[in-house]
Amino acid sequence: MELVLSLGIGVLSAAGIWLILRPRTFQVVLGLSLLSYAVNLFIFGMGRLTVGAPPVLGAGPDIVSVDDPVPQALVLTAVVISFALTALFLVVLLAARGVTGSDHVDGRELHPEEPRP
């Protein structure tokens, strides 16, 4: 289970960073989304990685051992924030494309005859 989770986090992080470094703004938005999914999986994995175990682990004389709900609450909050951030980035992307006429990150396309900066 740990191997699958770590591979998933690694693949999402690598794909997200690769897309963030692309020259198109839509690819940057997708990269940020993938990176936020990787961080959410990482935070969620910090809770506990047991499958089929009950949330209440056992009772002592005074103490009841339960799962930590903080990572689940953090992931839920992060999902809502990342959705709002993605919507904001898409609106900025559409506004920038309307102003510049291009979806390139710096606002202009490189033509084949132009030298690269």
Side-chain angles (χ1 to χ4, degrees), residues 58 74 93:
L74 287 174
L93 177 139

Side-chain angles (χ1 to χ4, degrees), residues 22-94:
R22 303 294 297 167
R24 305 277 179 202
T25 52
F26 186 70
Q27 293 170 346
V28 171
V29 170
L30 286 179
L32 285 171
S33 295
L34 286 180
L35 202 56
S36 71
Y37 294 151
V39 170
N40 288 343
L41 276 177
F42 178 73
I43 292 172
F44 193 70
M46 292 297 104
R48 195 168 55 136
L49 288 177
T50 56
V51 178
V56 178
L57 299 177
D62 294 333
I63 302 168
V64 175
S65 179
V66 296
D67 269 348
D68 188 15
V70 173
Q72 297 166 3
L74 287 174
V75 168
L76 182 63
T77 305
V79 166
V80 172
I81 291 171
S82 67
F83 178 73
L85 188 67
T86 303
L88 175 70
F89 279 153
L90 288 176
V91 168
V92 170
L93 177 139
L94 289 174

